[in-house]
Amino acid sequence: MTVTRPLPLLDQPDRLEQRLKDIPPEPGVYLMRDDGDRILYIGKSKRLRSRVRSYFRQSQPLSDRIALMVHQVCEIEFIVTDSEAEALALEANLIKQHQPQFNVLLKDDKKYPYLCITWSEDYPRIFITRKRRIANPKDRYYGPYVDTRQLRSTLNLVKRIFPLRQRPKPLFKDRPCLNYDIGRCPGVCQELITPEAYHKIVEKVAMVFQGRIGELETLLSQQMQAAAAQLEFEKAAEVRDRLQGLQSLGVDQKVALPDDRISRDAIALRLGERHACIQLFQIRAGKLIGRLGFIANTDDPGSILQRVLEEHYRSLDPVEIPSTILLQHPLPDADLLETWLSQTRGRNVTLEVPQRQQKAELIAMVERNAGYELARLERGDRRNQEALQDLARLLGQPTPPRRLECYDISHSQGSNAVASRVVFLDGHPAKQEYRHYKIRNPEIRSGHSDDFASLAEVLQRRFRDYESPEALIESPDYPDLVVIDGGKGQLSTVMKILKEMGLDQVLRVISVAKQREEIFTPGVSQPLDSHPEQPGVQLLRRLRDESHRFAISFHRQQRSKRMRRSRLDEIPGLGFQRQQQLLAHFHSLDYLMQASPEQLAEVPGIGKRLAAEIYGYFRG
């Protein structure tokens, strides 16, 4: 049976005109699909019909990227919303869900750290991280900050100004540590401060990273004067010291602007061949309080800036949105974004493309900084491309491999055997493609390990869902090179299982031995003639080491869980749920073993009788 694919709309003028007439002139979101029903592009507009029609006008100039997309459009869908703000929010959700090929997609650069405040906890933690994982919607991430040194310096100063929890876990079970005695911590570990009072302290800290230092200084001044009026001079002195510490923040970060009372953000970018680097300067009361960085795929500059601003301001609290945003280029939907920001902030927000004097000079400075980041990124790309080309020459391939997959096994004499799959795309780690495997082979257990059988199992599970070799080649996750951590024995085992699956002729597989960094290919007893320090071998080593790290971390995690669970599993009447409650309450097995029957009975679901059994078990 032959399936006919639909033709592009450009090849069917009558159908195109009818489809455009069907689109209403209302706010909403439109989706462009190709002949395989895949979403090519997702956009928004306050007048859908006019926006979609503009793509198909011959007089309308389009970028090369969008012009290529238009020639592939076979169907147009639309979703009508009640307002422009709803269209903007819906577009963002759909782009995150589908990741269309022709949309501007922001990329995460692990070089840029965030500051996280875990508002979902009774006693929020404040820490710097390079992984933005929103496990709870109450938690807030500030950044990503380009100047890591300034971020760490600010956080260290804030921890000296305000009494905050200094450790992720308590040092002692029954008493606070030295930080409490010197006034650095309010005694969070022993709950010497209520969650409500601690939240108020953290709210002041958040104001620093929201750029509201001026408001915070005013608030502290009022508190200092109130304490002095009530003759609470020690409290007034503490507030005074905090105020002086705040005033030392950003002393040398003045930015020459005609009006230093207005909060501004300035955004600019620099385009490269494959990437666009964007910088956003946060200026509050004439002070540069933050410098954020983003990376996107190359596209129209205005579309990139629009996407960055929408993503950035959507994650902010309304009080953090500035009154003025200085732009390097006009935005395609500037009026829509301006309306949405004004509604969100509750006050007027202005988007401005400065042309002269200090504001234009500020935009030029932001663009210059974006250029430095782009140069750094392109240097890394060039190194990766050189390594991939060298690897292609080493393996005798006509083109450099794009997707590299590496597999490794980790266990402790057979117990808790696990495997890892690590993926590099164009020489960069693609962590969203990483996978863990628990070895299911019942023959592999404590005291009996078999790396060959484990690798065979993992490769079989990886490629078993493909109906044919052709289906694997056409899939988006087809690996150009499969790397096995091991020598000739591991490689032979993998090739045997791939041959049984009929994939040995469509997959290029090699193994990398650890001792001499020797590279083995199927059916050849001698390793390839290579040098450990040549770029291609270094790339394989990075891939292999990352796979090894990923496997070991997962193995240690599984082993730790097993060791904790094995002790508690021996206690009668203590099921999985109660084990979790005990560990969550005492934070570690050591504290649990030291607890008294009364302390054990305080845990929800643990009565006096079970508490006595747990206590007796650990006391022998």
Side-chain angles (χ1 to χ4, degrees):
M1 180 177 178
T2 303
V3 179
T4 58
R5 290 179 175 268
L7 295 175
L9 289 176
L10 282 177
D11 297 338
Q12 307 176 75
D14 295 339
R15 181 169 173 261
L16 172 60
E17 185 60 30
Q18 183 59 47
R19 193 69 185 114
L20 293 175
K21 289 180 179 179
D22 293 341
I23 300 175
E26 298 182 30
V29 173
Y30 56 92
L31 297 86
M32 308 283 200
R33 293 182 179 270
D34 66 1
D35 57 357
D37 203 36
R38 293 181 294 266
I39 297 178
L40 296 172
Y41 187 82
I42 298 174
K44 64 181 176 304
S45 177
K46 61 181 179 181
R47 287 183 290 274
L48 281 172
R49 181 184 297 169
S50 300
R51 170 56 59 82
V52 176
R53 187 179 289 275
S54 67
Y55 288 99
F56 300 94
R57 290 196 189 105
Q58 294 183 353
S59 59
Q60 181 74 23
L62 300 174
S63 65
D64 294 340
R65 181 183 180 86
I66 298 301
L68 178 63
M69 181 270 295
V70 169
H71 281 83
Q72 301 179 37
V73 175
C74 297
E75 186 55 76
I76 304 171
E77 295 181 11
F78 60 87
I79 302 173
V80 175
T81 59
D82 292 332
S83 65
E84 294 92 333
E86 288 184 11
L88 192 148
L90 178 59
E91 180 208 34
N93 292 332
L94 290 175
I95 289 175
K96 284 183 180 179
Q97 179 182 353
H98 297 287
Q99 298 283 297
Q101 175 185 354
F102 289 93
N103 276 93
V104 175
L105 302 178
L106 300 184
K107 300 178 182 180
D108 184 20
D109 190 338
K110 299 300 186 296
K111 180 178 183 290
Y112 298 151
Y114 294 84
L115 181 111
C116 179
I117 300 181
T118 57
W119 291 107
S120 58
E121 300 177 3
D122 290 339
Y123 296 96
R125 292 174 294 126
I126 305 173
F127 58 91
I128 295 173
T129 178
R130 296 181 188 272
K131 298 179 180 179
R132 193 168 187 255
R133 297 176 180 173
I134 306 179
N136 191 298
K138 293 183 179 179
D139 296 343
R140 279 284 288 110
Y141 286 84
Y142 301 90
Y145 290 94
V146 175
D147 195 336
T148 308
R149 181 177 298 178
Q150 178 189 342
L151 175 60
R152 295 187 183 279
S153 175
T154 301
L155 181 58
N156 290 334
L157 182 56
V158 163
K159 286 186 175 182
R160 291 198 298 268
I161 296 173
F162 297 97
L164 298 168
R165 60 184 297 180
Q166 303 290 327
R167 304 178 61 87
K169 292 185 178 180
L171 187 61
F172 308 106
K173 178 166 179 56
D174 54 351
R175 60 186 176 88
C177 64
L178 182 63
N179 286 313
Y180 174 77
D181 298 321
I182 63 177
R184 288 283 183 88
C185 175
V188 170
C189 60
Q190 303 301 315
E191 298 185 0
L192 301 178
I193 182 174
T194 64
E196 294 77 15
Y198 190 73
H199 265 255
K200 291 182 179 179
I201 296 176
V202 179
E203 285 172 1
K204 294 184 176 65
V205 174
M207 294 176 71
V208 174
F209 296 97
Q210 291 170 348
R212 301 163 59 197
I213 296 180
E215 295 180 42
L216 183 56
E217 290 177 349
T218 302
L219 177 62
L220 292 179
S221 296
Q222 294 172 352
Q223 291 180 354
M224 180 181 65
Q225 294 170 5
Q230 296 177 6
L231 304 182
E232 298 177 352
F233 298 115
E234 290 186 2
K235 181 178 179 180
E238 291 179 2
V239 178
R240 178 204 61 201
D241 293 341
R242 293 177 188 172
L243 186 59
Q244 291 176 349
L246 282 176
Q247 291 170 346
S248 66
L249 278 174
V251 170
D252 300 324
Q253 297 177 7
K254 275 284 183 181
V255 178
L257 287 176
D259 190 346
D260 62 2
R261 294 171 299 173
I262 298 177
S263 296
R264 290 184 173 93
D265 280 355
I267 185 169
L269 58 79
R270 185 69 65 85
L271 292 175
E273 293 183 1
R274 301 179 58 204
H275 304 288
C277 282
I278 306 99
Q279 296 260 301
L280 190 148
F281 280 29
Q282 299 172 307
I283 300 162
R284 305 294 181 264
K287 295 179 181 178
L288 178 62
I289 60 98
R291 186 161 65 99
L292 312 184
F294 307 88
I295 295 175
N297 51 306
T298 301
D299 200 351
D300 172 63
S303 300
I304 296 174
L305 296 181
Q306 175 102 17
R307 177 80 174 132
V308 170
L309 293 176
E310 290 171 358
E311 284 288 313
H312 173 63
Y313 292 119
R314 188 176 290 109
S315 64
L316 299 186
D317 294 331
V319 294
E320 300 176 57
I321 299 175
S323 58
T324 304
I325 302 172
L326 304 180
L327 308 170
Q328 180 190 19
H329 299 283
L331 307 183
D333 292 303
D335 52 349
L336 192 153
L337 180 61
E338 199 171 62
T339 301
W340 174 70
L341 288 174
S342 299
Q343 292 175 353
T344 304
R345 183 175 183 253
R347 297 164 64 184
N348 189 47
V349 176
T350 303
L351 303 180
E352 180 183 348
V353 182
Q355 302 295 329
R356 60 182 64 183
Q357 297 181 346
Q358 290 97 334
K359 294 180 182 179
E361 292 173 359
L362 175 61
I363 289 294
M365 181 179 68
V366 180
E367 180 187 0
R368 192 162 58 251
N369 281 270
Y372 295 143
E373 290 299 311
L374 178 63
R376 177 196 63 82
L377 187 64
E378 289 182 338
R379 283 196 299 271
D381 281 346
R382 283 195 296 270
R383 285 195 296 267
N384 282 329
Q385 288 302 313
E386 290 171 0
L388 290 170
Q389 291 170 1
D390 182 66
L391 181 58
R393 287 193 296 269
L394 182 63
L395 300 177
Q397 289 182 309
T399 58
R402 182 176 183 272
R403 180 185 175 102
L404 283 70
E405 293 185 3
C406 185
Y407 296 85
D408 189 21
I409 306 294
S410 181
H411 56 83
S412 294
Q413 297 182 349
S415 65
N416 298 110
V418 299
S420 67
R421 183 188 85 186
V422 162
V423 178
F424 276 21
L425 293 176
D426 296 323
H428 296 282
K431 296 196 173 183
Q432 69 276 11
E433 300 284 343
Y434 286 18
R435 294 294 183 269
H436 284 134
Y437 298 89
K438 293 181 181 179
I439 302 302
R440 300 171 180 171
N441 190 336
E443 299 296 325
I444 299 174
R445 59 190 183 276
S446 180
H448 186 275
S449 62
D450 191 338
D451 287 359
F452 295 176
S454 298
L455 280 170
E457 175 188 330
V458 171
L459 269 295
Q460 186 178 37
R461 288 163 61 183
R462 163 65 175 94
F463 297 108
R464 66 186 175 189
D465 294 332
Y466 297 98
E467 299 177 354
S468 64
E470 292 76 16
L472 173 60
I473 294 174
E474 294 177 359
S475 67
D477 58 348
Y478 170 69
D480 299 296
L481 182 65
V482 175
V483 181
I484 304 299
D485 182 17
K488 291 184 291 185
Q490 286 88 344
L491 180 60
S492 299
T493 301
V494 168
M495 294 308 300
K496 181 179 179 181
I497 195 67
L498 291 178
K499 186 175 182 179
E500 293 175 2
M501 301 172 69
L503 301 177
D504 57 317
Q505 299 299 318
V506 298
L507 286 173
R508 184 67 188 265
V509 187
I510 64 172
S511 67
V512 181
K514 294 180 180 178
Q515 290 185 348
R516 300 178 181 176
E517 308 296 344
E518 293 177 326
I519 302 172
F520 291 94
T521 56
V524 181
S525 59
Q526 296 298 319
L528 294 177
D529 184 13
S530 62
H531 190 277
E533 299 305 319
Q534 70 181 91
V537 179
Q538 288 182 342
L539 176 61
L540 290 178
R541 187 188 308 149
R542 284 197 293 121
L543 177 68
R544 191 269 319 278
D545 291 347
E546 176 69 355
S547 178
H548 190 58
R549 178 201 65 80
F550 197 54
I552 285 181
S553 63
F554 185 52
H555 167 69
R556 288 174 177 169
Q557 177 186 347
Q558 297 299 310
R559 184 180 62 186
S560 176
K561 286 183 179 180
R562 182 182 62 81
M563 293 177 66
R564 290 192 302 173
R565 292 277 307 281
S566 62
R567 298 292 305 274
L568 299 177
D569 282 339
E570 299 174 3
I571 303 174
L574 194 62
F576 177 76
Q577 190 66 29
R578 288 175 174 172
Q579 292 177 19
Q580 294 292 96
Q581 291 173 332
L582 283 168
L583 292 173
H585 181 82
F586 290 101
H587 301 294
S588 74
L589 188 60
D590 292 336
Y591 287 161
L592 174 59
M593 294 169 62
Q594 298 171 10
S596 65
E598 293 77 14
Q599 291 172 325
L600 291 167
E602 293 176 359
V603 180
I606 307 295
K608 293 183 179 180
R609 179 178 175 181
L610 185 54
E613 289 188 13
I614 298 171
Y615 182 81
Y617 171 80
F618 286 121
R619 297 304 184 279

